[in-house]
Amino acid sequence: MNSSKEKTLLSLDYAEITIPDIFSSHGKFRKHQEAVVCGSVRRTWGDFNDNMNRVANALLASGVARGDRVVVMMGNSVEILEVMFGIVKAGCCVVPLSGLLTGQQLASLIKDCGAKQAFATADFIERLRPFQNELVHLNANHRYVVHGQAEGWLNYSELTNGQSTTTPSAVYRSEDAFNIIYSSGTTGLPKGIMQSHRARVHWAISNSIEMRFSDQSRALTTTSLYSNGTWLMMLPVLFSGGTCVVMPAFDPTEFSRLVAYEKITHTFMVPAQYIALLQTDTTQHDYSTLDVLLCAGSPLRRDTKRQVIERLGNKLIELYGFSEGFATMLKPNAPADKFDTVGTPVLGFEVRVLDESGAVLGPGEIGEIAGYGPGMMSAYHGKPSETSALIWQDERGRTFIRSGDIGSQDEDGYLKLVDRKKDMIISGGFNVFPSDLEEIIGQHPDVLDATVIGVPHERWGETPLALVILRPGAVFDASLMLPWCNERLAKHQRLSNIETREDFPRNALGKVLKRILREPYWINVKT
């Protein structure tokens, strides 16, 4: 009888591009090239990748599982990037939290995402101490302090020293959670925007192509690294194998110095930063290496845009979009008659304009903007009903995300904004939700009712103004009420002033008509 051995037939993997694997490749083939610069600290790709691997291997040794949430609470530094991407390399989901939040707000978000481990600097830790009992998921042995010491927190160097620099054994799938970014808004619980590896790869590739990044690019980040907007610069330049130069904090004069000294090719600023830069003497600095100036976060006033182009060159790209998932860009080579638009969809995205019934509108017709593409969020973390409420399906069954913004598309597909999300205030590039502020103001013993609107601000674009109706017999004193409110609000939420009203204009259902309240403040403002 003939005997034969059965041969196992192998099949090929469904190979995917992942950001951790791309960074490992750069660490091998670009090991001597600069990857990150912040202040006096300069990391080559070899060292940068080794340090990410040390973080990842330390986390894996501690017992993390695929998809575990790990919180990061740090200011701008080289280390925050090594920590964030080290977390991702371990197969975990990184949750960067804002430095503008109060201790109570930080504790609420740590609890909401179910983080089991955390990295933080001492300033964050001190804010959190009064709320330690609320950190129910956060393992007491898995809290790490970076840049200093903090009682009860393991030193970061003790965690990573002696860890292997070999590529971690984690497996990444396109549908796995890469990060959770919490939307601005703090008093109630802001929504956690969950983005997958697929979405972040699209973010990196599409922006690399649209803004012409390469391994020779040097991008300057001017905003906080926990912010999703900052990733418009940071992620594509690192994905491309270039160099990310990080400002610890923004200063317009230092910005100009760094552009020349570091030979910066790409940068991103919000309108308030462009306005601050224009207040300096730009003739004293060399901007010749700059190829791309990106503006996002809030609309750039037309007069400001013209000044930027006149003084820094025709290099400005305006981006409209939101973290949930799509974007458009207006580039310098756009026709002159598109100057007042926000451009066309970024590579891979589609945009539709919808009427109130959800029907698609034609060119020039005004309605709600909705977008679709591989950069969309997976969901709002733990909020299925809120996720579902955003979805509009097209004739092919594809799920578009409703923006809540109003606009129109012309015959060439260029998008024009008519209004922003109904009541949201965008101050210095940060989203401020009036309902969060109103909840705090309404707790003041003299306040019967309150509403918050955005009013013009020379530096920040707009700023929150509180309008209050007093309780009978109460005596109004703004010098006392204003600090009472602001000490209970995050930095980016703080009120510029408080004014009193006898009543508010309302619709038939009693809802305050904020548009009418805003009009007197904006009527003479040039746009």
Side-chain angles (χ1 to χ4, degrees):
M1 184 176 65
N2 293 330
S3 63
S4 63
K5 294 182 179 179
E6 289 189 9
K7 186 175 182 180
T8 302
L9 297 178
L10 300 177
S11 60
L12 293 168
D13 284 342
Y14 180 73
E16 298 176 296
I17 296 174
T18 72
I19 287 168
D21 288 343
I22 290 292
F23 287 176
S24 294
S25 174
H26 294 334
K28 180 177 182 180
F29 299 114
R30 293 186 171 87
K31 66 173 64 176
H32 301 300
Q33 180 180 323
E34 280 186 337
V36 186
V37 176
C38 184
S40 61
V41 181
R42 311 183 84 89
R43 285 280 198 279
T44 63
W45 265 107
D47 290 339
F48 184 49
N49 186 61
D50 283 351
N51 288 341
M52 286 187 277
N53 287 345
R54 288 187 179 99
V55 172
N57 287 318
L59 289 173
L60 289 167
S62 76
V64 294
R66 177 178 169 190
D68 279 356
R69 278 60 165 146
V70 181
V71 161
V72 176
M73 297 172 285
M74 298 171 61
N76 284 5
S77 64
V78 171
E79 287 80 5
I80 187 177
L81 293 174
E82 293 172 340
V83 168
M84 287 197 298
F85 291 120
I87 291 166
V88 175
K89 276 197 167 202
C92 298
C93 171
V94 62
V95 187
L97 296 182
S98 168
L100 300 175
L101 301 178
T102 66
Q104 176 68 75
Q105 293 163 345
L106 291 168
S108 295
L109 299 187
I110 293 169
K111 182 179 179 181
D112 180 69
C113 72
K116 296 182 178 180
Q117 304 207 24
F119 294 80
T121 48
D123 54 328
F124 280 91
I125 295 168
E126 291 311 307
R127 262 181 275 170
L128 272 173
R129 285 205 185 278
F131 309 99
Q132 288 193 97
N133 291 339
E134 298 181 27
L135 307 179
V136 293
H137 304 292
L138 196 58
N139 191 306
N141 297 320
H142 295 153
R143 305 178 186 190
Y144 314 109
V145 58
V146 187
H147 297 310
Q149 305 289 329
E151 184 180 352
W153 290 62
L154 178 69
N155 190 278
Y156 173 68
S157 61
E158 293 178 33
L159 173 74
T160 56
N161 284 351
Q163 290 295 332
S164 171
T165 60
T166 59
T167 301
S169 58
V171 176
Y172 321 105
R173 299 298 182 203
S174 62
E175 67 273 14
D176 288 349
F178 189 103
N179 64 261
I180 296 174
I181 299 284
Y182 279 96
S183 59
S184 301
T186 50
T187 309
L189 207 57
K191 299 181 184 71
I193 298 166
M194 190 180 301
Q195 291 156 320
S196 65
H197 279 257
R198 178 190 296 113
R200 281 314 195 184
V201 166
H202 174 265
W203 181 284
I205 292 175
S206 61
N207 284 303
S208 294
I209 292 172
E210 295 280 15
M211 291 187 280
R212 305 183 303 279
F213 281 97
S214 75
D215 60 351
Q216 298 303 302
S217 297
R218 296 180 66 82
L220 179 61
T221 64
T222 66
T223 47
S224 299
L225 289 169
Y226 63 75
S227 167
N228 199 50
T230 310
W231 289 41
L232 290 164
M233 279 288 113
M234 178 268 287
L235 195 55
V237 74
L238 293 178
F239 185 86
S240 300
T243 305
C244 183
V245 181
V246 178
M247 291 190 77
F250 178 73
D251 174 82
T253 302
E254 177 64 4
F255 167 85
S256 296
R257 187 193 72 80
L258 280 172
V259 168
Y261 182 77
E262 297 287 351
K263 295 180 170 50
I264 298 300
T265 61
H266 295 68
T267 194
F268 158 65
M269 291 189 286
V270 299
Q273 293 173 313
Y274 280 103
I275 291 169
L277 181 64
L278 293 172
Q279 304 308 305
T280 67
D281 185 0
T282 54
T283 63
Q284 299 301 307
H285 300 278
D286 179 12
Y287 304 97
S288 61
T289 59
L290 272 176
D291 185 42
V292 170
L293 288 162
L294 180 67
C295 183
S298 60
L300 189 64
R301 283 178 11 205
R302 301 300 89 180
D303 59 330
T304 304
K305 178 179 176 180
R306 292 185 181 95
Q307 288 182 58
V308 171
I309 293 170
E310 179 183 339
R311 291 170 61 173
L312 301 180
N314 190 24
K315 307 168 182 178
L316 185 66
I317 295 177
E318 289 185 276
L319 181 141
Y320 158 73
F322 67 117
S323 300
E324 284 84 345
F326 66 89
T328 65
M329 282 185 181
L330 182 68
K331 297 184 179 179
N333 60 357
D337 63 349
K338 310 300 184 185
F339 189 81
D340 291 331
T341 74
V342 290
T344 54
V346 167
L347 182 70
F349 285 120
E350 293 185 36
V351 170
R352 303 284 176 86
V353 178
L354 312 174
D355 69 12
E356 292 184 2
S357 69
V360 178
L361 296 171
E365 295 183 291
I366 295 172
E368 183 180 10
I369 301 163
Y372 173 83
M376 295 189 302
M377 70 174 184
S378 306
Y380 286 131
H381 168 66
K383 297 182 182 295
S385 59
E386 285 91 338
T387 303
S388 178
L390 280 186
I391 295 172
W392 173 83
Q393 289 184 289
D394 72 355
E395 66 284 353
R396 295 161 58 186
R398 298 180 302 171
T399 53
F400 282 63
I401 291 179
R402 293 176 176 269
S403 70
D405 292 338
I406 305 302
S408 64
Q409 280 184 296
D410 65 18
E411 293 281 358
D412 300 316
Y414 282 78
L415 184 67
K416 186 167 186 177
L417 294 181
V418 174
D419 200 0
R420 293 172 298 182
K421 294 178 181 178
K422 195 169 184 181
D423 296 321
M424 185 176 70
I425 299 164
I426 303 178
S427 183
F430 289 97
N431 295 343
V432 179
F433 293 91
S435 60
D436 293 334
L437 282 65
E438 290 158 4
E439 183 177 341
I440 292 295
I441 300 162
Q443 295 173 16
H444 191 283
D446 292 337
V447 173
L448 178 65
D449 200 1
T451 192
V452 173
I453 60 172
V455 298
H457 190 281
E458 195 169 302
R459 182 176 181 185
W460 306 120
E462 60 179 335
T463 187
L465 169 70
L467 306 175
V468 301
I469 300 171
L470 297 176
R471 294 185 181 278
V475 176
F476 178 66
D477 188 340
S479 67
L480 295 177
M481 188 180 291
L482 187 62
W484 185 96
C485 295
N486 280 341
E487 70 184 14
R488 291 163 172 79
L489 297 168
K491 290 180 181 179
H492 66 294
Q493 297 175 310
R494 289 175 183 168
L495 302 167
S496 60
N497 205 358
I498 301 176
E499 298 177 6
T500 60
R501 293 289 188 271
E502 292 296 321
D503 201 358
F504 301 139
R506 303 174 188 269
N507 66 13
L509 298 176
K511 188 170 183 177
V512 177
L513 300 173
K514 294 190 177 184
R515 174 181 56 81
I516 295 174
L517 291 171
R518 286 193 294 259
E519 281 177 356
Y521 298 91
W522 290 92
I523 194 167
N524 293 319
V525 176
K526 293 182 179 179
T527 57

